[in-house]
């Protein structure tokens, strides 16, 4: 079968490899969709400390069950059968550490990841790691949800995890930095699940801003390369500031701007990580103090968030179909990375 294998930064090869085996306590999938995100581009160029090469990458996975190990259903208390449709979590908690036992699986101290320690989804077939099955991380796809939509459940789950911490209330003003797919999903969740008020979408790429705004229709788009974004948000909110600010980008300055534009009792999600070579920002601590700001981190998602994402897609509360703007065959997977890098599509999905 064909698989996209990471050997070293800038050395990623689409090659012929043997189909993976399926152990007695494992499930084998025919991958139907594996979507791409900025993380794949980062891995392509820089690798990742937890990624052991050579490795099949790809972590936003949906597929059809083609083999169920003889001991699977007895071992995990599941009911998997050949032909079932399934979505795979990407961040895999251990289920046993202090954090997992507290129910904070997104910050499991022993977290591993599909496509890092285990072979991922840019391949015709993959074996679902037993560590995934152990924490109930293989999820049934509802009948009315496509494989392409289901593959977007993973990034969607990360956004759900982040927003859970923000306590968004009906009518809250929300600013989202970053007009990529995840920024779009944040807007849809803030509205569809939390019934927020006006949403302002910020980016420095005018074309991407326009493309995403057409899909998710924010009340206003702000091109931060053209205008002072803090000033504009203050104007739009009558000087009060934004109740909720989400930075879905890796740009340090957006975190500083988020603090400057937050309203009293404002809640901020530092959703996107910063470059590891430059992870610091300047923070006016008195703003945080006197305005009673709440600044939250966000680290991936828990299996439960993936289940909820599939449910929101199924009920139509948070549609994702129209955000998947490019479908690309596995043979052209490397071109998908360029499309993601250049921001030419909202979400790109690969179809083995
Ligand atoms: Zn991703
Ligand atoms: Zn754990």
């Amino acid at each position: 079968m064909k698989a996209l294998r990471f050997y070293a930064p800038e050395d990623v090869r689409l090659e012929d490899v043997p189909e993976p085996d399926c152990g007695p306590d494992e499930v084998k999938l025919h991958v139907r969709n594996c979507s791409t995100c900025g993380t794949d581009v980062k891995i392509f160029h820089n690798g990742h400390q937890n990624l052991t090469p050579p490795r099949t990458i790809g972590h936003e996975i949906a597929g059809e069950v083609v083999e169920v190990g003889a001991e699977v259903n007895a071992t995990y208390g599941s009911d998997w059968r050949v032909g079932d449709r399934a979505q795979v979590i990407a961040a895999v908690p251990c289920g046993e550490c202090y954090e997992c036992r507290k129910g904070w699986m997104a910050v499991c101290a022993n977290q591993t990841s599909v496509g890092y320690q285990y072979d991922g989804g840019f391949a015709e077939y993959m074996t679902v790691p037993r560590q995934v099955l152990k924490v109930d991380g293989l999820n049934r796809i509802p009948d009315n949800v496509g494989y392409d939509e289901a593959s977007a459940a993973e990034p969607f789950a990360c956004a759900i995890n982040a927003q859970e911490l923000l306590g968004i209330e009906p009518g809250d003003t929300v600013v989202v930095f970053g007009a990529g797919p995840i920024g779009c999903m944040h807007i849809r969740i803030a509205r569809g699940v939390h019934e927020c008020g006006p949403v302002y979408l910020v980016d420095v790429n005018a074309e991407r801003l326009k493309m995403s705004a057409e899909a998710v229709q924010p009340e206003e788009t702000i091109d931060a390369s053209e205008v002072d974004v803090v000033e504009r948000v203050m104007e739009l909110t009558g000087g009060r500031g934004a109740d909720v600010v989400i930075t879905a980008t890796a740009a340090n300055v957006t975190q500083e701007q988020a603090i400057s534009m937050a309203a009293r009792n404002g809640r901020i999600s530092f959703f996107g990580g910063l470059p590891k070579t430059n992870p610091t920002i300047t923070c006016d601590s008195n703003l945080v103090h006197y305005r009673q700001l709440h600044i939250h981190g966000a680290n991936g998602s828990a299996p439960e968030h993936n289940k909820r994402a599939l449910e929101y897609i199924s009920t139509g509360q948070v549609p994702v179909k129209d955000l998947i703007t490019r479908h690309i065959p596995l043979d052209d997977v490397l071109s998908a990375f360029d499309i993601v890098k250049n921001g030419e599509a909202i979400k790109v999905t690969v179809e083995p």
Side-chain angles (χ1 to χ4, degrees), residues 35-40 59-60 154-155 347:
S35 291
T36 56
C37 74
T39 302
D40 297 310
H59 59 272
E60 302 183 2
E154 190 278 323
K347 191 83 184 157

Side-chain angles (χ1 to χ4, degrees), residues 93-97 100 108-110:
C94 73
E96 287 163 11
C97 69
C100 282
C108 166
N110 308 312

Side-chain angles (χ1 to χ4, degrees), residues 75-149:
T75 304
Y76 307 109
S78 55
D79 183 27
W80 290 109
R81 288 162 210 267
V82 169
D84 284 348
R85 303 161 74 246
Q87 179 262 351
V88 187
I89 59 168
V92 187
C94 73
E96 287 163 11
C97 69
Y98 178 81
E99 287 76 14
C100 282
R101 282 185 282 116
K102 289 288 282 185
W104 307 331
M105 284 192 162
V107 288
C108 166
N110 308 312
Q111 188 181 77
T112 53
S113 303
V114 175
Y116 291 57
Q117 288 92 346
Y118 322 109
D119 282 333
F122 291 134
E124 289 171 70
Y125 296 92
M126 73 171 276
T127 300
V128 179
R130 49 181 69 84
Q131 290 87 344
V132 167
L133 295 166
K134 185 183 139 197
V135 293
D136 195 19
L138 185 65
N139 300 308
R140 216 168 277 280
I141 302 174
D143 288 342
N144 65 342
V145 174
Y147 284 113
D148 53 352
E149 297 168 278

Side-chain angles (χ1 to χ4, degrees), residues 200-217:
Y200 307 123
L201 179 61
V202 186
D203 205 294
V204 291
N205 178 334
E207 239 159 83
R208 187 159 76 161
L209 198 51
K210 184 164 166 276
M211 180 173 61
S212 295
E214 271 166 25
V216 295
Q217 303 281 322

Side-chain angles (χ1 to χ4, degrees), residues 212-258:
S212 295
E214 271 166 25
V216 295
Q217 303 281 322
E219 270 65 22
E220 183 164 318
T221 56
I222 304 173
D223 183 342
S225 70
E226 298 284 334
V227 302
D228 182 325
V229 57
V230 175
E231 213 170 89
R232 184 64 192 136
V233 167
M234 285 304 177
E235 268 168 28
L236 287 165
T237 55
R240 202 171 62 79
D243 298 301
V244 172
V245 187
I246 299 167
T247 61
T249 117
N252 303 51
V253 66
T254 64
Q255 296 188 354
E256 296 171 354
Q257 290 165 337

Side-chain angles (χ1 to χ4, degrees), residues 163 168-174 186-199 219 244:
Q163 289 200 18
I168 304 177
E169 296 186 1
D172 275 357
T173 300
V174 176
H186 269 300
I187 291 177
R188 291 239 164 115
I189 299 164
R191 283 177 171 161
V193 178
H194 302 286
E195 300 172 348
C196 73
V199 174
E219 270 65 22
V244 172

